[in-house]
Amino acid sequence: MIVGTSGLVLNEKLLFEHSDAGRKGYSLPALDVPAADLAEGLCRREIAGFPELSEVDVVRHFTRLSTWNYGVDSGFYPLGSCTMKYNPKVNELAARLPGLVDLHPATPDHLAQGALALMFDLQGALAEISGFAAVSLQPAAGAQGELAGMLVVRAWHEARGSRRRKVLIPDTAHGTNPATAALAGFEVVPIASEGVLSLAEIEAHMTDEVAALMITNPNTLGLFETNIEAICQLVHQRGGLVYCDGANLNALLGIARPGDMGIDVMHFNLHKTFATPHGGGGPGAGPVGVSAALVPFLPGPRVVHSDGHYRLAGDPASIGRLVAFHGNFGIMLRAYAYIRSMGAHGLKHATEMAVLNANYVRARLEGSFHLPYPNRSLHEVVFSDRDLPNDCHTLDVAKRLIDFGYHPPTIYFPLVVKGAIMIEPTETESQETLDEFCDAMLAIAREALTDPEALKQAPVRTRTRRLDETAAARQPKLKWQG
């Protein structure tokens, strides 16, 4: 069954095209106090060509635009490596409790005991889940958590008088890792893999210039790094640290703990693994956890508990603050509510279902789409377009999928797979939904054989047909011109 239909489709003009001179969206009462002249510098000059609109024009414009959105609350979102899963609404209710949402971040510790207690408990829960000695909640995004982790690595080496400045990053690591390492002042050394890292490859590159190995486990192919313990031991023996990108932690919860594998530093994506909103540039949160030797270097202040009270405290060796206050508190609330409502059993079951769903999709699509690595998948599966006939490619599959009513999966990533199609169903999708999605994918594979033009012309059921992406990138129109 095709989920997408051609029913009521509301199109929309730009605000400038709605404008008519003299229209207003407000009606102010007559002035009942003496008029005051404001200083020139306080008055905004009129904006030439600024749209003049009625209230109903404005309301309808933004309401219609909102109907164009595709989100996880309206349909299946199979983006691999992004964990776009449904978020329980009880988490949103918890994040809107007046005593928490109205709390000013500069409130003194003795008047914010409830919020600090919640943060302290969340630090402990994340440490227990991951197997680390301590966690800092301060980083306000996953990328900032990565940066915090690598700054901790740098601080640890410098405290020991070491000037190591190289970081090993495999080709299956998360896409932001090389940029993070460079931003932290390191030189990136790429490492080749055959799906998973080999001990011999790390041994060949692990010199006394290497500060750390940055890995993602499970990696961006959805594969578990089976040699992880031996690799960590080798890196440690040669004076380095191991950083793990926690983006795919939702494949490990309740099953395995990165700290127990020998990982030294890891950031958490609360907006992925722990069911808080994701996408649109925010909000996010990227707490960072570390092994015992690295605790003094964590970004601070962190919440501590002593003499029956909670307070914020720092360490002289800390890398310092990353944000003005103490992290993205609203995201912490959502993650805390999720962890408490799920419990240990629920978190483990979520992991089991995420892995089961990914392997169900894999089993249904294998044979119709090329599977570049035979290793058993965890939370996501990566196919390629290698076996598609009639010069059909990954982009054609993605565009055609829109006509079937689905947001496309991640495409052309990871770069280690040419023509990659990365699918992550997450634990929140039912078998019914997965079957409908797989049926659409299989129908597209058949069309590539029998009607390839259907793929090459797609999408045809949208407001706008396929764009010239090269022209859009090289000659963008960023300004309204009447």
Side-chain angles (χ1 to χ4, degrees):
M1 181 185 73
I2 296 177
V3 176
T5 71
S6 56
L8 180 62
V9 177
L10 298 175
N11 215 331
E12 182 58 12
K13 296 182 289 186
L14 299 176
L15 281 176
F16 299 96
E17 296 173 290
H18 283 297
S19 178
D20 193 23
R23 284 184 181 173
K24 285 184 171 59
Y26 61 89
S27 178
L28 299 178
L31 192 66
D32 60 355
V33 297
D37 291 328
L38 294 176
E40 178 70 19
L42 298 178
C43 297
R44 188 186 72 183
R45 291 184 173 86
E46 290 298 320
I47 302 173
F50 198 73
E52 298 179 70
L53 305 159
S54 69
E55 179 178 306
V56 69
D57 290 332
V58 175
V59 170
R60 284 180 177 168
H61 173 76
F62 287 105
T63 300
R64 285 172 180 160
L65 288 182
S66 73
T67 68
W68 296 12
N69 288 341
Y70 187 98
V72 75
D73 285 356
S74 57
F76 177 40
Y77 225 127
L79 279 180
S81 211
C82 284
T83 320
M84 300 291 279
K85 63 186 178 183
Y86 175 81
N87 300 312
K89 296 300 181 274
V90 67
N91 303 344
E92 300 299 312
L93 294 174
R96 286 169 172 76
L97 292 173
L100 295 172
V101 75
D102 296 333
L103 189 67
H104 194 282
T107 301
D109 291 355
H110 70 281
L111 296 178
Q113 288 295 290
L116 293 175
L118 186 150
M119 293 170 67
F120 182 81
D121 288 347
L122 180 58
Q123 288 175 179
L126 293 175
E128 173 62 25
I129 286 168
S130 59
F132 290 113
V135 170
S136 171
L137 301 174
Q138 193 173 122
Q144 195 176 56
E146 281 186 35
L147 179 61
M150 292 310 294
L151 290 177
V152 166
V153 168
R154 178 173 172 169
W156 181 81
H157 279 292
E158 290 179 347
R160 294 161 57 88
S162 171
R163 298 293 297 172
R164 296 182 179 220
R165 281 295 181 265
K166 290 186 177 181
V167 173
L168 308 181
I169 303 182
D171 53 15
T172 54
H174 208 235
T176 52
N177 291 174
T180 296
L183 190 60
F186 293 104
E187 176 188 340
V188 174
V189 180
I191 300 293
S193 71
E194 293 296 329
V196 296
L197 282 171
S198 71
L199 184 62
E201 189 71 22
I202 300 302
E203 187 170 21
H205 288 84
M206 192 62 211
T207 69
D208 58 8
E209 296 181 288
V210 175
L213 166 68
M214 286 186 85
I215 64 168
T216 303
N217 192 31
N219 61 37
T220 53
L221 293 168
L223 307 179
F224 184 79
E225 294 288 352
T226 51
N227 301 314
I228 185 64
E229 285 189 281
I231 287 173
C232 288
Q233 290 174 5
L234 172 65
V235 173
H236 293 157
Q237 287 168 3
R238 300 199 178 174
L241 297 174
V242 180
Y243 173 92
C244 180
D245 185 309
N248 297 335
L249 184 63
N250 61 310
L252 301 178
L253 292 180
I255 307 294
R257 305 196 309 173
D260 297 339
M261 301 172 195
I263 303 295
D264 298 290
V265 194
M266 186 189 79
H267 85 272
F268 304 77
N269 281 354
L270 297 190
H271 53 285
K272 292 171 64 173
T273 306
F274 297 100
T276 64
H278 185 183
V288 58
V290 297
S291 57
L294 304 183
V295 173
F297 305 102
L298 278 172
R302 294 186 300 119
V303 183
V304 298
H305 184 237
S306 61
D307 300 325
H309 295 277
Y310 299 92
R311 60 186 177 86
L312 291 164
D315 190 292
S318 169
I319 64 170
R321 284 187 178 274
L322 293 167
V323 293
F325 292 104
H326 317 302
N328 196 332
F329 186 58
I331 299 302
M332 296 179 204
L333 290 173
R334 291 168 171 88
Y336 180 81
Y338 180 73
I339 292 171
R340 290 299 301 268
S341 61
M342 293 286 282
H345 173 77
L347 293 175
K348 180 180 180 181
H349 184 61
T351 295
E352 292 169 339
M353 292 306 299
V355 173
L356 177 63
N357 282 353
N359 282 283
Y360 183 75
V361 170
R362 171 187 171 128
R364 287 217 54 195
L365 300 185
E366 189 174 358
S368 296
F369 292 89
H370 174 243
L371 191 65
Y373 293 95
N375 315 54
R376 182 58 59 197
S377 302
L378 288 188
H379 64 301
E380 62 194 7
V381 57
V382 178
F383 295 99
S384 84
D385 61 1
R386 193 189 75 175
D387 295 342
L388 290 177
N390 297 317
D391 199 34
C392 291
H393 301 286
T394 291
L395 182 64
D396 302 318
V397 174
K399 297 297 186 183
R400 184 59 173 155
L401 200 55
I402 297 172
D403 287 331
F404 282 80
Y406 293 101
H407 192 288
T410 301
I411 59 174
Y412 298 114
F413 180 80
L415 300 179
V416 69
V417 175
K418 184 178 180 180
I421 305 171
M422 179 191 282
I423 300 170
E424 181 181 5
T426 79
E427 76 276 8
T428 59
E429 301 299 338
S430 66
Q431 183 179 345
E432 175 190 12
T433 298
L434 298 183
D435 278 333
E436 291 172 351
F437 171 76
C438 290
D439 288 345
M441 289 288 288
L442 293 172
I444 292 169
R446 290 193 295 270
E447 285 182 333
L449 181 64
T450 62
D451 187 12
E453 282 304 305
L455 274 68
K456 296 174 183 179
Q457 296 300 318
V460 297
R461 302 163 67 86
T462 52
R463 295 175 184 83
T464 304
R465 299 290 294 271
R466 190 183 301 203
L467 303 178
D468 183 339
E469 296 184 11
T470 301
R474 294 179 178 175
Q475 300 173 340
K477 294 182 179 180
L478 304 177
K479 180 179 178 182
W480 161 252
Q481 293 178 326

